[in-house]
Amino acid sequence: MKSAQDAPIYNLKAVVQETGIKPDTLRAWERRYGLPAPTRTESGHRLYSQNDIALLKWLLERQNEGMTISRAMELWRHVEEEASDALQLTPSKPLATPLPPIPQPLPATSDAPIIQLREAWIASCLNFDEQSAERIVTQAFGLFTVDQVCIQLLQKGLAEIGAGWYESFVTVQQEHFASALAVRRLETLLTATPPPTRPGRILIGCAPDEGHTFAPLLLSLLLRRAGWDVVFLGADIPTEDFVATTQKTKPQLVILTAQQLYTASMLHAVAEVIYQAHVPLAYGGKIFAQQPTLCETITGHYLGNEIEGAVQKIEEFMRAPHLPKQAHAPARPYVLALEAYRRRQPQIEAYVWQQSSHAGFAPDLLQKANLNFGRNIVAALSLGNVELLAIDMEWIRGLLTNHYQMPPTVVNHYLAAYLAALETHLSDDGAMLSAWLRHMLESEPTAI
């Protein structure tokens, strides 16, 4: 039976005032970890309980002790299983399971589990300590399999660092340093793999304009270790000459990854080219886990959200290769809206520039906002679903508030200016885009 403390009575603004946690950080935690889990009003607004607030304060205490948010979430779930009154836990009331020590770079003789090694590797990367980070990875290879180290330590470690960058306590330099170390380690392992022992060639790379290479590189390594003939093509594979590449290499399967909405739309375009060449395509990436409806727009075989499952699906496919079912083309209203938007985009952005330059937007930030928002609008219209912009807009809000310390009112001023520009310069063909943006502004007018 639920208590009064479970009653959802606090709106997002009240929770922000009580905890000091930024609205977009709360949304990111909810999306990434499923906690907290507020209820929603009929209009879509979040409502939190007293227990939700207590949980958030407990997580903040763990962060203040030096724990990453992902590890704090893991510890909370463990504590929640052991204690029915977990939300009443405070530093003065010891946990049923002692709090693990804050991770530090470990000696080579340690038998620590891989999660602690991952935390130690993250700490070394954030300190720009290359020797310590490399020693930890080497130690991990002595205790676990190559697949375990690459997935549980490197891949998940980079994911935590990426989340830290988004939440603004990890710098771009720290994120790039860690990524470079992880990619270099994968490249070394890839070079050392033995010759293929199984028939059939696989091409792997990134969609056009996609620069995140870790996931396809890791997939290449896992498949090569399984005996497959894999050709890794790298980042930002252009659509031009792709048919000639497939004709020359004669793959049984092409695999492309995309992490962003914009690059998913580029993958959509190249997938049609590959399909016309009668070559099967498979695909994956973070954006497809965030936006499951995207899979309906891509002519290809979706590999799922986890890399281990992707390897298994590829194994099954290589035993019985076949072309995917061709995705439906965008409905005509989307085709007309895309044509209208592209035709009037310079005037729209000039209008937004004029209206937003006096509202606190620095010129370079305004330029980036127009670039990113514009290309994501093109992506959503190209894919035939304007609702795909919703999660991307939430991410952009968080980026502006976390990294540029911009209040939600300034962000909303920009979006309101964009709406006015759409209504001024687009014909009726673009009405669906204006209607979507107007609804978004009305549903959460202050973003808190």
Side-chain angles (χ1 to χ4, degrees):
M1 182 176 178
K2 290 188 177 181
S3 66
Q5 289 187 322
D6 293 311
I9 58 176
Y10 300 98
N11 64 17
L12 187 54
K13 185 173 183 178
V15 175
V16 171
Q17 292 174 341
E18 180 69 20
T19 64
I21 302 174
K22 295 177 181 178
D24 292 286
T25 299
L26 285 172
R27 292 190 187 95
W29 289 0
E30 179 186 335
R31 184 173 65 250
R32 191 174 297 122
Y33 306 110
L35 290 173
T39 60
R40 294 273 189 160
T41 65
E42 291 184 359
S43 58
H45 294 280
R46 294 170 173 83
L47 286 180
Y48 298 80
S49 67
Q50 185 62 50
N51 278 344
D52 290 326
I53 293 174
L55 165 61
L56 291 169
K57 289 182 176 180
W58 187 88
L59 292 170
L60 286 175
E61 289 173 357
R62 304 290 78 77
Q63 281 193 304
N64 292 336
E65 292 167 353
M67 192 175 294
T68 64
I69 184 61
S70 62
R71 193 172 185 216
M73 290 286 187
E74 289 178 6
L75 180 60
W76 166 253
R77 295 187 191 281
H78 179 67
V79 171
E80 191 177 31
E81 292 176 359
E82 291 193 356
S84 59
D85 61 343
L87 283 166
Q88 306 302 321
L89 292 171
T90 64
S92 61
K93 182 177 180 180
L95 303 177
T97 301
L99 187 68
I102 297 172
Q104 298 294 333
L106 304 172
T109 58
S110 171
D111 59 351
I114 199 164
I115 187 171
Q116 193 172 358
L117 287 167
R118 182 171 74 229
E119 294 291 340
W121 183 78
I122 291 172
S124 295
C125 289
L126 298 185
N127 288 325
F128 299 103
D129 190 342
E130 180 175 346
Q131 290 185 348
S132 174
E134 293 291 81
R135 185 173 66 250
I136 291 165
V137 175
T138 300
Q139 174 189 344
F141 279 125
L143 298 170
F144 303 96
T145 66
V146 171
D147 292 10
Q148 286 176 311
V149 175
C150 290
I151 296 170
Q152 298 297 326
L153 193 158
L154 295 179
Q155 185 184 41
K156 292 190 175 181
L158 287 181
E160 288 195 31
I161 290 172
W165 171 82
Y166 178 76
E167 293 165 15
S168 202
F169 61 82
V170 171
T171 67
V172 172
Q173 291 81 5
Q174 288 171 318
E175 194 272 337
H176 285 182
F177 177 81
S179 296
L181 288 184
V183 167
R184 189 171 67 198
R185 178 66 73 154
L186 290 190
E187 289 174 340
T188 300
L189 292 169
L190 197 62
T191 302
T193 54
T197 58
R198 304 168 79 171
R201 172 170 284 181
I202 304 170
L203 296 188
I204 299 181
C206 299
D209 289 341
E210 180 59 68
H212 295 85
T213 61
F214 183 85
L217 188 62
L218 175 55
L219 186 58
S220 298
L221 173 64
L222 299 180
L223 291 172
R224 277 203 189 174
R225 285 176 50 77
W228 294 107
D229 180 7
V230 177
V231 177
F232 178 63
L233 299 177
D236 185 17
I237 300 172
T239 305
E240 298 81 5
D241 300 325
F242 201 93
V243 172
T245 300
T246 58
Q247 290 174 342
K248 185 172 184 177
T249 55
K250 296 180 173 56
Q252 275 64 55
L253 179 65
V254 173
I255 300 173
L256 296 177
T257 61
Q259 311 300 332
Q260 309 161 76
L261 179 61
Y262 173 63
T263 53
S265 71
M266 303 299 287
L267 192 156
H268 161 80
V270 76
E272 294 302 319
V273 172
I274 296 172
Y275 179 82
Q276 296 303 323
H278 305 289
V279 178
L281 171 78
Y283 65 93
K286 179 175 64 177
I287 187 64
F288 299 103
Q290 295 174 338
Q291 303 265 25
T293 56
L294 260 178
C295 298
E296 301 170 6
T297 70
I298 307 295
T299 299
H301 304 286
Y302 180 48
L303 295 176
N305 301 340
E306 302 295 334
I307 198 160
E308 299 98 320
V311 172
Q312 182 178 350
K313 288 183 179 180
I314 293 166
E315 294 264 1
E316 294 171 356
F317 176 87
M318 293 298 286
R319 287 194 289 268
H322 59 281
L323 284 173
K325 180 180 178 181
Q326 189 170 20
H328 294 296
R332 181 158 178 77
Y334 278 97
V335 175
L336 296 176
L338 178 60
E339 291 175 354
Y341 178 78
R342 280 178 164 161
R343 187 168 58 250
R344 305 296 293 177
Q345 188 174 1
Q347 292 91 332
I348 291 169
E349 293 182 352
Y351 183 100
V352 173
W353 189 281
Q354 183 182 25
Q355 297 297 314
S356 299
S357 58
H358 304 295
F361 263 89
D364 60 335
L365 183 56
L366 185 55
Q367 184 177 16
K368 290 178 182 178
N370 277 341
L371 172 65
N372 287 297
F373 196 30
R375 70 182 188 179
N376 285 329
I377 288 174
V378 169
L381 295 177
S382 299
L383 294 165
N385 185 357
V386 72
E387 296 297 330
L388 293 171
L389 285 166
I391 288 181
D392 195 72
M393 275 308 308
E394 186 173 333
W395 188 88
I396 290 174
R397 280 187 188 275
L399 185 67
L400 293 174
T401 54
N402 290 342
H403 283 268
Y404 297 100
Q405 306 302 312
M406 296 187 64
T409 53
V410 175
V411 179
N412 284 341
H413 181 96
Y414 170 80
L415 295 177
Y418 215 102
L419 174 60
L422 293 175
E423 293 176 336
T424 300
H425 292 285
L426 276 190
S427 63
D428 291 341
D429 289 336
M432 69 169 67
L433 184 57
S434 302
W436 174 83
L437 186 52
R438 187 185 305 108
H439 175 74
M440 192 191 71
L441 285 169
E442 290 173 352
S443 63
E444 287 196 66
T446 60
I448 59 173

